[in-house]
Amino acid sequence: MTYIGILGAMDEEIKLLLEQMEEKDTQVQAGIRFITGTLLGRNVVVSKSGVGKVNAAATTQLMIDRFQVSSVLFTGVAGAVNPKLQIGDIVISSSCQQHDMDVTALGYERGIIPYQEISDFPADDSLVKLAMEACEKVCKDHQFLVGRVLSGDRFVADRDVVQDLYESMHGACVEMEGAAVAQVCHMNNVPYVVLRSMSDKADGSAHVNFAEFTVEAANRSYAILNEMIGSL
């Protein structure tokens, strides 16, 4: 059986998916819950990865190994880096890269992983197209764009850092898991796309906005994902 893999870092990011799934069954591996079932007639496996790159990488690899997923969709919230983005807007990943991979002391550009050919992992073109089509239908009150998702084990809440991520790494948004998911998918030749709804502007007010808008942003991401699954 072939599954579509769906990941979110937090309960809020997968809650609606689990509520809508049918024929659910739960398996646990390495303390991680994988819930299989059907959604809009498609076989899906959904999991909460937990926060951070290590959690995301481990969950993605286990999902690929155990369920032979045909694609991986990562849904959730992020902080806006591109100044055009407002709270509630959507970023579809063109690629994902680690902003905290820093070996500049050895002459590498920031974000480059030493001794390997690729460090900025491109999303699957067909999944990006599906996500764009879904956003055109769902995002009536908010804009969406396709751009680079930057990931790191740090909650960004500083205007100067945001400006640097935008100017030096050309990021659209910043979060804590996407690049790990992207790298594991690349290593396994599994198509992926990351969908992020902006819960904050990753500036000095991030700690306030994040809590207030996380549920709203997660619901918007769910609506887009639901539209995509119907087309997969």
Side-chain angles (χ1 to χ4, degrees), residues 24-212:
K24 288 185 287 189
D25 180 65
T26 300
Q27 301 180 37
V28 179
Q29 180 72 28
I32 303 166
R33 295 171 66 241
F34 295 92
I35 301 94
T36 59
T38 60
L39 188 64
L40 300 176
R42 273 65 170 180
N43 296 318
V44 298
V45 54
V46 178
S47 185
K48 181 182 76 170
S49 67
V51 174
K53 292 184 298 180
V54 173
N55 281 328
T59 304
T60 304
Q61 188 64 61
L62 285 169
M63 180 176 279
I64 291 170
D65 288 343
R66 289 182 63 88
F67 301 98
Q68 292 80 51
V69 292
S70 59
S71 57
V72 172
L73 314 177
F74 196 102
T75 180
V77 300
V81 170
N82 186 318
K84 295 180 181 179
L85 289 167
Q86 302 298 320
I87 292 173
D89 290 345
I90 301 294
V91 170
I92 303 165
S93 63
S94 58
S95 65
C96 295
Q97 188 171 16
Q98 298 178 65
H99 67 78
D100 59 351
M101 175 60 66
D102 189 344
V103 197
T104 53
L106 296 181
Y108 293 91
E109 292 183 10
R110 184 177 172 193
I112 298 299
I113 305 170
Y115 315 123
Q116 66 180 51
E117 294 181 358
I118 184 169
S119 301
D120 185 21
F121 301 95
D124 179 75
D125 289 339
S126 62
L127 292 177
V128 170
K129 182 180 178 181
L130 275 180
M132 293 174 66
E133 292 171 352
C135 284
E136 288 172 355
K137 294 179 181 179
V138 173
C139 301
K140 302 299 184 183
D141 300 323
H142 295 276
Q143 66 174 323
F144 69 90
L145 60 81
V146 179
R148 179 178 290 162
V149 174
L150 298 178
S151 307
D153 289 322
R154 174 185 183 185
F155 188 91
V156 175
D158 183 283
R159 288 184 178 87
D160 292 337
V161 174
V162 170
Q163 184 174 353
D164 177 55
L165 292 176
Y166 180 65
E167 293 178 352
S168 67
M169 298 193 71
H170 313 292
C173 67
V174 63
E175 38 86 295
M176 300 177 72
E177 296 86 24
V181 173
Q183 183 171 347
V184 171
C185 285
H186 174 78
M187 293 166 68
N188 288 274
N189 198 31
V190 173
Y192 89 91
V193 71
V194 172
L195 304 171
R196 290 292 190 179
S197 182
M198 302 303 100
S199 60
D200 61 85
K201 290 181 68 69
D203 57 15
S205 62
H207 65 290
V208 176
N209 291 336
F210 182 81
E212 182 178 353

